[in-house]
């Protein structure tokens, strides 16, 4: 007893359900106060995004800049100022919705088996990494950015269970979530729109010239077309009467070309090349 009382160290914060606290980074043998910045917000609604000329969406969280569909990628994209984020998710054998693009984990972790995600448990998935980062459950993503940012949501190989996934979304989801699938999945688009959701269907260059996209377009609110497609084919697509997003832009040059072709916004993998610097 009787010793000198030390001044509190660190950045004061308010912890939900706990109260005042202080955050420090411990680096023996000294304590260094942490720097805490305010993360930029996202679009307040789908209509705000669609009303923004040249909007961009972080494809797989900005997979050209950071490990795809990791919390590191989404957090960095948000820090750089991306106001909309794209997510692919499907279910494990035990019913966990995992952020993952492919049917299996092999491309993002060479040590993983070729077993489809649908035949793996969440515990098994956690043994592997997405380009070195932990795999993410949809609940983790939604808790971080589900209410603050617009999400483009692709239910991938679990598309038949999309309505189950919809029950997990925030209360403001119909203003914040745009469902995504391949342009030929008009059956999905029709279900989404009948339930009051917005949806985006993506296509490739040949779908303009062979007439497919003209057949699919009426089912979708928005359509996607490659940024590198010819000017002639872009004229066909922009003439279909739906807002067109350029995909998938790996660089500022690709983003600029997509907009020049007539896109209202772009799906971007190279977030750090387009937005350049973190705002935090």
């Amino acid at each position: 007893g009787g010793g000198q009382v030390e001044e509190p160290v660190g950045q004061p914060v308010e912890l939900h359900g706990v109260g005042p606290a202080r955050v420090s980074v411990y680096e023996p043998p000294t304590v260094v106060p942490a720097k805490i910045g305010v993360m930029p917000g996202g679009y307040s609604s789908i209509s705000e995004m669609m009303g923004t000329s040249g909007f961009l969406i972080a494809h797989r969280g900005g997979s050209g800049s950071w490990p795809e569909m990791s919390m590191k990628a989404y957090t960095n994209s948000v820090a750089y100022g991306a106001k909309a984020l794209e997510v692919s998710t499907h279910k494990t054998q035990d019913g966990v919705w995992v952020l993952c693009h492919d049917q299996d984990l092999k491309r993002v972790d060479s040590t993983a088996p070729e077993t489809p995600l649908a035949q793996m448990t969440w515990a098994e998935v956690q043994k592997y990494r997405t380009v070195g980062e932990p795999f993410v459950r949809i609940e983790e993503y939604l808790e971080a950015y589900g209410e603050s940012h617009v999400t483009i949501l692709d239910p991938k190989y679990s598309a038949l269970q999309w309505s189950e996934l919809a029950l997990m979304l925030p209360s403001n989801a119909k203003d914040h979530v745009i469902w995504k699938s391949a342009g030929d999945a008009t059956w999905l688009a029709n279900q989404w729109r009948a339930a009051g959701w917005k949806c985006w269907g993506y296509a490739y260059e040949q779908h303009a010239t062979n007439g497919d996209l003209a057949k699919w377009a009426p089912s979708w609110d928005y359509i996607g077309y490659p940024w590198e497609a010819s000017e002639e084919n872009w004229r066909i697509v922009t003439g279909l009467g739906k807002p067109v997003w350029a995909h998938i832009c790996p660089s500022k040059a690709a983003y600029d070309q997509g907009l020049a072709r007539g896109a209202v916004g772009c799906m971007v993998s190279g977030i750090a090349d387009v937005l350049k610097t973190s705002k935090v």
Side-chain angles (χ1 to χ4, degrees):
Q4 187 175 359
V5 177
E6 292 185 8
E7 285 294 314
V9 176
Q11 179 78 31
V13 296
E14 189 75 19
L15 296 181
H16 179 68
V18 176
R22 287 179 178 268
V23 176
S24 296
V25 177
Y26 179 61
E27 295 180 345
T30 59
V31 177
V32 181
K35 290 182 179 178
I36 298 179
V38 178
M39 291 290 272
Y43 291 117
S44 62
S45 65
I46 293 167
S47 57
E48 185 193 356
M49 182 183 87
M50 293 305 300
T52 302
S53 179
F55 65 82
L56 64 75
I57 300 154
H59 185 251
R60 304 185 199 174
S63 59
S65 302
W66 304 287
E68 70 175 64
M69 282 190 283
S70 63
M71 287 310 295
K72 180 177 182 177
Y74 289 109
T75 301
N76 277 324
S77 284
V78 168
Y80 272 65
K83 296 185 176 188
L85 309 167
E86 187 264 354
V87 172
S88 294
T89 184
H90 45 121
K91 285 170 67 176
T92 61
Q93 189 177 52
D94 52 347
V96 176
W97 290 84
V98 177
L99 272 56
C100 179
H101 179 274
D102 297 359
Q103 201 158 9
D104 60 48
L105 314 180
K106 194 76 179 172
R107 180 178 55 81
V108 293
D109 189 336
S110 61
T111 70
E114 293 180 354
T115 310
L117 181 76
Q119 295 173 22
M120 299 176 73
T121 64
W122 171 235
E124 289 169 338
V125 171
Q126 288 178 284
K127 296 175 185 174
Y128 305 102
R129 294 288 182 265
T130 175
V131 199
E133 290 290 312
F135 281 97
V136 179
R137 292 176 299 114
I138 191 66
E139 293 94 333
E140 296 173 76
Y141 167 82
L142 291 171
E143 184 178 355
Y145 302 117
E147 294 189 10
S148 60
H149 288 65
V150 166
T151 298
I152 316 305
L153 186 59
D154 187 342
K156 283 295 171 189
Y157 306 97
S158 301
L160 288 171
Q161 289 86 46
W162 73 265
S163 56
E164 175 191 316
L165 177 58
L167 295 175
M168 303 169 73
L169 301 177
S171 59
N172 65 359
K174 285 190 176 175
D175 289 330
H176 279 72
V177 172
I178 297 171
W179 293 89
K180 168 196 170 186
S181 195
D184 61 352
T186 53
W187 63 274
L188 261 180
N190 294 335
Q191 287 183 24
W192 286 329
R193 295 179 78 190
W197 298 93
K198 298 290 189 185
C199 56
W200 178 68
Y202 59 90
Y204 295 98
E205 184 146 24
Q206 69 272 19
H207 297 136
T209 52
N210 66 13
D212 282 346
L213 192 50
K215 297 173 192 169
W216 303 338
S219 295
W220 299 94
D221 295 289
Y222 321 112
I223 53 181
Y225 202 61
W227 64 270
E228 68 270 36
S230 71
E231 284 189 65
E232 182 182 359
N233 288 337
W234 264 95
R235 278 195 291 273
I236 295 172
V237 175
T238 53
L240 295 175
K242 295 293 175 92
V244 186
W245 309 353
H247 72 89
I248 299 164
C249 304
S251 63
K252 178 68 161 59
Y255 168 80
D256 289 342
Q257 182 168 314
L259 297 181
R261 290 282 197 260
V264 296
C266 299
M267 190 72 76
V268 174
S269 58
I271 292 293
D273 194 60
V274 178
L275 298 178
K276 302 300 183 189
T277 57
S278 174
K279 298 178 184 299
V280 179

